[in-house]
Amino acid sequence: MTTVVSGFSSVMNNTPIVALFIPYVYQWGKKNRVAPSKLLIPLSYAAIFGGMITVIGTSTNLVLNGFVTERGETPLGFSDFFFPGIVVSIAGILFLSLTNNTLLPNRKIDEDTPNAARLRQYLTETKVLENAELVGQTIQEAGLRNLDGVYLAEIYRRGRLLQAVAPDEVLEANDRLYFAGDTENVMRVIEKFPGISWAKSEKFEISDKAEIVETVIPANSSLHGKSLKESFFREKFDAAVVGIHRNGEKLSGKLGEIPLRAGDLLLIIAGGDFKRRINADKDLYALQWVKESSPSNQKSNYFLISLLTFVGLSIFGFIDFFMALVLSLGSALILGLFSSQELKKQTNIDLLLILGGAITVGKAFIDTGAARIMTAPLVNAIDWLGPIGIVLCLYVVTVIFTSFVTNVAAVSVLFPIAYELIHDLGMNPTPVYLTLAFGASAAFITPIGYQTNLMVYGPGKYTFKDFVKIGLPFTLVYSLCALITIFALHKLI
């Protein structure tokens, strides 16, 4: 997993890579009885260190190169990142493989569910159809008592919520039945009782071929604190929520009125446009497809072959890397994997604004002399350390910054200082800039340091302490490998 993810991350944005892999990794762990907490931090870390293999692997490198180019200096190239990036990736993969059992928590998927069966309890909304044979029967007569792995928790009828449903309660047409149980057993209830279906609405009609997806609300989602109605969930995602799970907590009431929380798992019915919308949004991530259509993978295979071909031509110098990416994008359009309209929607305007804004702020910081005012006393204080000591101090400060703010922000703040250090001390700029880049991407110690850490935080049921426990030794190994390689290649040691 870490080998594949780091390879893809070297040529693609880290966030969608992790979003793509989370459902498959999560589902594999569930089937093989491996806790997701053993897999998801390595997934996030692999995307981070894999992004350091190339100059386009992460937005950090792009922002840094923008600063360097704007100052009229030679930008960092493919080979500058490739060798130290490969070294830290190999070291990272080995470290995660060897320390997985000792440093990562073994937090089972359902370990905190209170009932004896230890099920992943969803509060799931269904509806009794008007012409169903169940209408007029009691709960006992309809066979809705003593179900395997699921139970009828509540009934919503004409504005009233009936709790602790009695066996002699008579079912009526259009009753909303709320079942509690895991996803597989709820699915069996829908299949076993033809008169019960997923709850439908005027705004979202469910077809027989609809996909059923298990999703998670990440820690930084705008859905946190809002109900489904308040967030306009169906309009936003082209999907309907039919179940909510909250770490074993007992939920009650209409699903549309329950305030959502970060870490909630949502069982949803996906509309035709759901996949595109969720891929373009950071408020919700898919964990697994409980029921999924199976489209042909032929076009995807053709695209993968073309992508590897163009990247290979770039590596061996036949075309530049930018042209390789343009040709890969063109092949995806020709194969019909997405349309030109979708390309416009998927364009990362936020990243473009960050690039432009960061370069502008950095330029002002240097041109006004503010950077020199800050670095002059710093240089005087640590001049006795020599060039290597100064670079190490810059690296440590960068790692601390990136652990609590975004890596792009860390580069934006510290580039002007690095620039002044280079020119005040007459240092070779390349190893200093590489040190800054690798330090800014060392976002392993906290879940808030990088977006992919936040993405896996909820599904893995991690705590802040979990990231510190594995992040500190991992950062040490990553740092040693990166710095020794950079210093050796540029003859600083």
Side-chain angles (χ1 to χ4, degrees):
M1 177 191 71
T2 51
T3 302
V4 172
V5 169
S6 59
F8 276 117
S9 186
S10 68
V11 293
M12 296 176 65
N13 189 280
N14 300 344
T15 303
I17 288 292
V18 174
L20 175 68
F21 271 82
I22 282 177
Y24 297 102
V25 172
Y26 190 92
Q27 194 167 12
W28 183 92
K30 183 177 178 181
K31 288 182 178 179
N32 292 275
R33 296 185 178 182
V34 177
S37 57
K38 291 288 187 183
L39 304 171
L40 294 179
I41 279 182
L43 171 63
S44 177
Y45 282 10
I48 296 173
F49 60 66
M52 297 307 298
I53 296 175
T54 68
V55 70
I56 64 162
T58 175
S59 57
T60 312
N61 299 348
L62 292 173
V63 170
L64 177 62
N65 240 13
F67 279 127
V68 173
T69 303
E70 191 275 332
R71 300 314 300 175
E73 299 185 1
T74 303
L76 300 171
F78 180 86
S79 60
D80 293 324
F81 284 98
F82 182 75
F83 294 105
I86 286 292
V87 171
V88 298
S89 295
I90 293 174
I93 292 168
L94 291 174
F95 179 90
L96 292 171
S97 301
L98 296 173
T99 63
N100 186 282
N101 288 330
T102 55
L103 294 180
L104 286 170
N106 188 26
R107 199 159 288 129
K108 296 296 184 181
I109 297 174
D110 306 312
E111 69 176 12
D112 51 6
T113 305
N115 63 22
R118 307 194 70 77
L119 297 172
R120 179 142 52 137
Q121 293 278 350
Y122 270 93
L123 181 66
T124 309
E125 184 176 7
T126 64
K127 181 181 179 180
V128 177
L129 302 178
E130 290 188 1
N131 57 350
E133 294 182 2
L134 302 176
V135 175
Q137 297 182 9
T138 65
I139 300 297
Q140 185 76 42
E141 292 170 344
L144 294 176
R145 294 281 293 178
N146 302 319
L147 296 170
D148 183 21
V150 63
Y151 67 93
L152 180 60
E154 300 170 340
I155 297 178
Y156 185 80
R157 176 184 299 160
R158 297 191 300 275
R160 292 190 305 121
L161 188 65
L162 308 179
Q163 297 178 313
V165 182
D168 57 355
E169 183 69 46
V170 178
L171 293 170
E172 298 182 10
N174 298 314
D175 276 351
R176 296 289 175 122
L177 308 183
Y178 293 90
F179 290 94
D182 67 356
T183 53
E184 287 83 359
N185 287 319
V186 172
M187 290 285 294
R188 293 192 189 102
V189 170
I190 299 295
E191 295 170 355
K192 181 179 179 181
F193 299 93
I196 299 176
S197 72
W198 299 112
K200 302 180 180 181
S201 75
E202 298 174 357
K203 297 180 180 179
F204 191 90
E205 193 69 18
I206 300 171
S207 68
D208 294 334
K209 297 181 179 180
E211 295 180 325
I212 301 174
V213 189
E214 193 172 34
T215 62
V216 63
I217 299 176
N220 58 337
S221 174
S222 65
L223 298 174
H224 178 79
K226 299 179 181 177
S227 68
L228 295 171
K229 289 183 178 179
E230 291 170 341
S231 63
F232 299 99
F233 189 93
R234 287 172 176 168
E235 293 81 357
K236 182 175 183 178
F237 293 104
D238 187 30
V241 175
V242 294
I244 301 177
H245 164 77
R246 182 173 295 161
N247 287 336
E249 181 179 333
K250 184 179 180 180
L251 300 175
S252 178
K254 298 181 68 176
L255 297 188
E257 298 174 357
I258 297 175
L260 302 174
R261 295 181 190 171
D264 282 355
L265 301 181
L266 307 181
L267 190 66
I268 69 169
I269 304 293
D273 202 34
F274 169 75
K275 285 186 177 180
R276 183 190 65 79
R277 295 191 189 186
I278 196 174
N279 288 335
D281 199 284
K282 299 177 182 179
D283 286 334
L284 192 70
Y285 294 107
L287 284 180
Q288 64 173 327
W289 267 257
V290 181
K291 176 184 175 184
E292 181 181 17
S293 59
S294 301
S296 172
N297 291 324
Q298 188 174 15
K299 290 184 178 180
S300 299
N301 292 334
Y302 286 150
F303 172 69
L304 182 59
I305 292 172
S306 67
L307 175 64
L308 295 175
T309 300
F310 294 136
V311 171
L313 290 174
S314 171
I315 291 174
F316 291 104
F318 293 101
I319 58 176
D320 61 44
F321 212 67
F322 176 77
M323 183 55 65
L325 294 176
V326 170
L327 292 173
S328 299
L329 181 62
S331 66
L333 286 169
I334 292 172
L335 290 169
L337 295 179
F338 56 85
S339 65
S340 57
Q341 289 76 19
E342 289 176 321
L343 176 60
K344 293 178 182 178
K345 293 179 181 178
Q346 295 286 353
T347 300
N348 195 334
I349 301 299
D350 290 342
L351 178 57
L352 296 177
L353 292 174
I354 289 171
L355 284 168
I359 291 173
T360 302
V361 171
K363 176 178 173 61
F365 202 63
I366 295 173
D367 291 347
T368 59
R372 181 172 294 277
I373 293 173
M374 291 183 61
T375 55
L378 177 63
V379 170
N380 293 331
I382 63 175
D383 183 56
W384 58 276
L385 293 174
I388 293 180
I390 292 173
V391 171
L392 287 174
C393 288
L394 175 66
Y395 181 85
V396 172
V397 172
T398 307
V399 171
I400 294 173
F401 261 78
T402 202
S403 297
F404 298 98
V405 299
T406 64
N407 49 1
V408 172
V411 167
S412 302
V413 170
L414 295 172
F415 173 82
I417 296 176
Y419 177 84
E420 293 296 339
L421 286 173
I422 289 168
H423 290 83
D424 285 350
L425 301 175
M427 300 173 66
N428 180 2
T430 301
V432 179
Y433 291 146
L434 285 173
T435 298
L436 179 61
F438 277 84
S441 286
F444 308 111
I445 300 175
T446 69
I448 61 175
Y450 198 71
Q451 173 66 21
T452 58
N453 289 347
L454 286 171
M455 290 167 60
V456 303
Y457 187 81
K461 295 186 179 180
Y462 294 118
T463 64
F464 196 94
K465 182 180 177 181
D466 293 331
F467 276 86
V468 174
K469 182 179 179 180
I470 189 171
L472 284 173
F474 188 88
T475 300
L476 179 61
V477 171
Y478 168 93
S479 301
L480 287 173
C481 292
L483 293 172
I484 291 173
T485 306
I486 292 170
F487 289 174
L489 288 174
H490 295 277
K491 299 180 180 179
L492 294 181
I493 55 175

